[in-house]
Amino acid sequence: MILIDNRQEKIEFSKENEDVISKLIDYALKEEGVNIEYEISVILIDNAEIRKINKENRDIDSVTDVLSFPMLEYPEKKFYKDVYTDTKFSDAYLDDGKLVLGDIALSLETAKEQSDEFGHSFIRECAYLVIHSVLHLLGYDHMEIEDKLIMRKREEEILNKFNINR
């Protein structure tokens, strides 16, 4: 289940945009081996709210585009398809049979600014940021250059399947 909660009024986000984001998330999760019911929440917020969340959770007092809040920690630093049945993985959390992967906070204001800056569509920027966050929820990271290259490649593969290009 994908929960999308629009908590801002500054940037229009259509039902069609919500559908694109939901389909992308579902596709990405299936491609990554999530073959059990899952739950992810996406909150759509403005710059003031994401700045507040960033300060509260990361002690960084600035606006950012997207934040990911994974609910799981993976022994191998990345999701694997049997994680929720692996007896060694005691942190797996099933809620009513659904794997709760985490939350995504997306600033639509920043996404709009970045889409203008990069010269591509608003939905492309939102889609990229959401897929970036979904991969974080699955244990991907980009702190090391090798990991960054792997993550970027995966983001582009997923977006290209939906013809969402730069």
Side-chain angles (χ1 to χ4, degrees):
M1 173 172 30
I2 301 164
L3 307 166
I4 299 178
D5 183 7
N6 191 347
R7 299 182 184 176
Q8 59 82 53
E9 296 178 353
K10 295 181 178 181
I11 305 291
E12 173 70 27
F13 202 77
S14 68
K15 174 72 170 117
E16 292 80 16
N17 286 347
E18 286 186 22
D19 290 345
V20 167
I21 295 302
S22 292
K23 287 175 184 169
L24 271 168
I25 291 171
D26 191 60
Y27 174 80
L29 293 176
K30 290 198 175 21
E31 283 291 301
E32 289 294 315
V34 178
N35 56 14
I36 187 174
E37 285 190 65
Y38 61 84
E39 186 173 303
I40 287 181
S41 67
V42 180
I43 61 167
L44 306 174
I45 54 181
D46 59 26
N47 283 349
E49 188 62 25
I50 206 159
R51 181 178 184 165
K52 179 180 164 193
I53 294 169
N54 205 15
K55 174 71 172 147
E56 289 171 358
N57 291 276
R58 299 174 64 219
D59 202 29
I60 298 174
D61 189 14
S62 66
V63 172
T64 190
D65 47 15
V66 70
L67 293 168
S68 308
F69 298 98
M71 292 297 289
L72 303 173
E73 291 183 29
Y74 305 104
E76 303 300 318
K77 297 214 176 221
K78 185 172 176 282
F79 180 85
Y80 56 98
K81 67 181 177 178
D82 297 320
V83 70
Y84 35 84
T85 57
D86 189 337
T87 55
K88 296 179 289 185
F89 189 63
S90 60
D91 292 335
Y93 178 62
L94 294 177
D95 183 23
D96 289 332
K98 293 183 190 123
L99 183 67
V100 180
L101 291 167
D103 304 318
I104 297 169
L106 173 63
S107 171
L108 293 184
E109 273 187 281
T110 298
K112 178 67 175 122
E113 292 165 5
Q114 289 176 176
S115 70
D116 292 343
E117 178 183 336
F118 298 137
H120 54 240
S121 71
F122 173 62
I123 190 58
R124 194 272 179 216
E125 187 65 16
C126 291
Y128 167 75
L129 294 170
V130 167
I131 290 305
H132 180 84
S133 283
V134 166
L135 293 178
H136 275 308
L137 296 182
L138 296 174
Y140 282 79
D141 204 355
H142 48 78
M143 299 306 287
E144 303 294 328
I145 190 70
E146 184 178 315
D147 294 334
K148 182 177 184 175
L149 293 172
I150 291 167
M151 190 171 180
R152 293 291 180 257
K153 180 179 182 225
R154 198 68 188 114
E155 292 162 352
E156 292 302 322
E157 288 170 349
I158 292 165
L159 293 171
N160 286 341
K161 278 290 189 183
F162 283 78
N163 240 358
I164 299 176
N165 306 308
R166 292 179 193 225

